[in-house]
Amino acid sequence: MENSKKIVWYNLAFMAFSTVWGFGNVLNGFVYFNGIQVIFSWIMMFVLYFVPYALMVGELGSAFKNSGGGVSSWIHETIGPKCAYYAGWTYWACHVTYIASKGSGGLKAISWMLFQNGKTYDSFPALYVQLATLAVFLFFCWVASKGLNPLKKLATLAGSSMFIMSILYIIMMFAAPVINPNGGFVSMDFSWDNIIPQFNANYFTSLSILIFAVGGCEKISPYVNKVENPSKGFPKGMITLAIMVMVCAILGTIAMGMMFDPEVINGSKENFESYVSNGAYLAFQQLGEYYHVGNLIMIIYAACNAVGQFSTLVLSIDAPLRMLLDNEEARAFIPTALLKQNKNGAYINGIWMVVVLSGSIILIQSLVPGAASVLTQLNKLNSVTMPLRYLWVFVAYIALRKSINKFNPEYKFTKYQGLAIIAGVWCFLVTAVCCILGMYVEGDMMSTLLNIVTPFILTALGLILPTIKKNEKQA
């Protein structure tokens, strides 16, 4: 009876796939890495980073199967409460930039639904777009302050539908030449010289995009010990996940290569920014043209994306804040004022802190010339800040292996202690180096400064709060 409740390895792979992968990952890889040249980078990223990362998460989840706090709990068990606070703070702080991007993303989706093109939105002055984004952001902060999450079910529905549409895009795109042989598809060159990327400064400063795309599999750690025969079932599920993601990345890239010419994308800065902010909608719009249904498929995609962006916005304001402030260990390092809750149970001063930090990023971007440039800048900023939370996963793993006899997880990534430590250090360094390199944006000093200053300010604030709490106790 107990065994019937266990998760079989292939179900785990599908569960993880739906949380890790999305259509935007295919688009960003294609745009930032010169079309089908990204295939080489995807394969290297999966083999050298994603597979060991996922298997390490499995071992951590197995070792701390009764810990519900995720990375913070792992750090608390292996290192101590203060580092656990910093891990929780990092997870929350990373969402500050993510929150700032959701409003713009939602408005972009609505614009495509209404005007059915990208030029209208991109022609709006950045100041007006960012003021509208600020208004949307403040509205959802108000929603969060009411202790309500009315969009939670919609977020799940939108996320599921977006996942389905991502798979449908690949299937429909490969079928399109048969159904519409005269659709004007782009001819691709799969010669060796065209597949191997140019390892220049632009290549290395864009790698954070791929790190951001494949990260986040620690969300499935609670399921490790619910898998049939974890020592064999979990790695089998994770390797299957890696294969599924790699196949979707490669097939999605080829499907996109049938639509878009990289030379056009890289023809000018304006073209590049337009494809970064509009590429997904253009892809579904063109798919509709191949199937003679006009903009119908694009409108469905835009509607799903609009709901997804706004529901993710309100959840991102509320959930990471609760994860940080609800944690009893973290509370010892957080000033009392931030722990204040209103009558609805919302951390009202914490929400105000989100308003100040995310609102500042939104207002700073009103200085950017053009709405498309704003989304491009936010895309790169998220790729630099969001992966910083993965660093704590590898810190926790290295600490676990150094005390492996104390915790004795049921599932182990590898029985060789030296290899385990090397893998943890390797993934930590890859993440850190890619994030640091990603801060530089060629020819755009404002974006570079924003990418450097934002993580610095958020880190500094996280270091200051325990000092404030200490002085508070002594007063």
Side-chain angles (χ1 to χ4, degrees):
M1 189 71 180
E2 181 66 26
N3 207 41
S4 65
K5 296 179 181 178
K6 292 286 187 178
I7 301 171
V8 290
W9 61 268
Y10 49 84
N11 282 344
L12 179 79
F14 280 110
M15 287 167 58
F17 182 61
S18 62
T19 60
V20 169
W21 196 245
F23 184 74
N25 297 329
V26 178
L27 173 70
N28 286 335
F30 188 87
V31 173
Y32 278 92
F33 290 86
N34 200 32
I36 59 174
Q37 284 186 2
V38 75
I39 292 173
F40 173 87
S41 302
W42 277 131
I43 293 172
M44 297 300 291
M45 186 62 68
F46 290 132
V47 173
L48 298 178
Y49 183 82
F50 182 65
V51 171
Y53 173 19
L55 296 178
M56 285 180 220
V57 165
E59 185 171 341
L60 284 160
S62 179
F64 309 112
K65 57 186 175 183
N66 297 318
S67 300
V71 179
S72 295
S73 297
W74 301 341
I75 294 293
H76 183 267
E77 294 292 331
T78 56
I79 301 177
K82 193 162 189 178
C83 282
Y85 155 73
Y86 289 128
W89 174 266
T90 303
Y91 185 85
W92 174 81
C94 288
H95 279 80
V96 168
T97 60
Y98 188 66
I99 288 167
S101 69
K102 292 294 102 177
S104 296
L107 291 175
K108 164 66 78 171
I110 290 174
S111 173
W112 268 96
M113 288 173 63
L114 295 176
F115 305 112
Q116 299 181 24
N117 66 72
K119 292 181 180 179
T120 303
Y121 181 90
D122 291 348
S123 66
F124 294 145
L127 175 62
Y128 299 156
V129 171
Q130 290 309 95
L131 288 176
T133 301
L134 182 63
V136 168
F137 165 65
L138 292 175
F139 170 74
F140 283 113
C141 283
W142 174 80
V143 171
S145 74
K146 297 300 177 183
L148 303 173
N149 281 330
L151 301 179
K152 190 170 184 178
K153 290 183 178 178
L154 280 176
T156 304
L157 179 63
S160 301
S161 60
M162 289 280 282
F163 169 70
I164 291 168
M165 293 200 73
S166 299
I167 302 301
L168 280 177
Y169 171 79
I170 296 173
I171 296 171
M172 293 178 73
M173 195 57 220
F174 275 92
V178 178
I179 295 169
N180 185 6
N182 298 315
F185 304 99
V186 176
S187 178
M188 291 175 286
D189 179 8
F190 285 99
S191 64
W192 182 257
D193 290 340
N194 197 50
I195 285 291
I196 300 300
Q198 295 180 5
F199 298 105
N200 51 25
N202 185 61
Y203 177 86
F204 289 106
T205 56
S206 298
L207 283 174
S208 59
I209 295 286
L210 301 187
I211 294 287
F212 182 31
V214 300
C217 63
E218 61 272 10
K219 294 175 185 175
I220 61 165
S221 61
Y223 301 105
V224 177
N225 291 286
K226 296 179 182 178
V227 179
E228 281 184 7
N229 191 4
S231 62
K232 293 183 179 178
F234 187 83
K236 192 186 291 186
M238 288 300 94
I239 291 170
T240 303
L241 165 66
I243 293 170
M244 290 167 64
V245 171
M246 186 160 61
V247 168
C248 279
I250 293 171
L251 294 182
T253 299
I254 294 171
M256 203 158 279
M258 295 164 65
M259 277 188 171
F260 303 132
D261 185 349
E263 290 189 8
V264 175
I265 294 174
N266 297 313
S268 66
K269 183 183 177 183
E270 290 73 20
N271 279 8
F272 178 82
E273 291 178 344
S274 179
Y275 274 93
V276 169
S277 60
N278 299 301
Y281 304 100
L282 291 170
F284 281 98
Q285 185 179 53
Q286 205 153 319
L287 191 63
E289 291 175 5
Y290 294 148
Y291 282 84
H292 306 294
V293 293
N295 289 330
L296 177 62
I297 302 176
M298 180 275 293
I299 292 171
I300 294 171
Y301 172 81
C304 293
N305 199 23
V307 174
Q309 294 280 336
F310 289 138
S311 54
T312 301
L313 172 57
V314 72
L315 291 175
S316 296
I317 293 168
D318 183 70
L321 193 61
R322 288 186 182 277
M323 286 179 67
L324 175 66
L325 302 183
D326 279 345
N327 189 308
E328 288 300 323
E329 289 80 18
R331 282 170 169 258
F333 305 98
I334 296 173
T336 305
L338 285 177
L339 301 176
K340 180 183 177 183
Q341 293 176 278
N342 62 14
K343 62 181 181 180
N344 300 308
Y347 289 101
I348 189 65
N349 287 338
I351 291 174
W352 275 113
M353 185 165 65
V354 173
V355 168
V356 171
L357 294 172
S358 295
S360 297
I361 294 173
I362 292 170
L363 289 175
I364 287 170
Q365 287 170 324
S366 64
L367 303 174
V368 176
S373 299
V374 170
L375 286 170
T376 303
Q377 190 179 80
L378 283 169
N379 199 41
K380 198 66 189 293
L381 180 60
N382 277 324
S383 78
V384 169
T385 54
M386 289 295 278
L388 292 175
R389 60 195 168 130
Y390 310 152
L391 293 173
W392 286 107
V393 174
F394 308 124
V395 169
Y397 183 72
I398 294 167
L400 168 67
R401 292 302 299 223
K402 286 189 173 182
S403 306
I404 194 67
N405 294 328
K406 177 182 176 183
F407 300 105
N408 196 27
E410 184 179 353
Y411 158 71
K412 292 180 181 177
F413 161 42
T414 175
K415 63 181 180 180
Y416 300 107
Q417 183 74 350
L419 178 59
I421 298 294
I422 289 171
V425 172
W426 164 257
C427 287
F428 181 94
L429 290 175
V430 168
T431 306
V433 170
C434 287
C435 287
I436 292 169
L437 291 176
M439 292 177 180
Y440 175 71
V441 181
E442 188 176 0
D444 190 343
M445 187 53 65
M446 181 180 174
S447 293
T448 301
L449 287 173
L450 187 65
N451 291 342
I452 295 171
V453 171
T454 302
F456 178 79
I457 290 175
L458 293 173
T459 301
L461 185 58
L463 294 172
I464 290 169
L465 292 184
T467 304
I468 297 173
K469 181 70 172 184
K470 184 178 179 181
N471 293 335
E472 189 179 88
K473 287 179 179 179
Q474 292 175 349

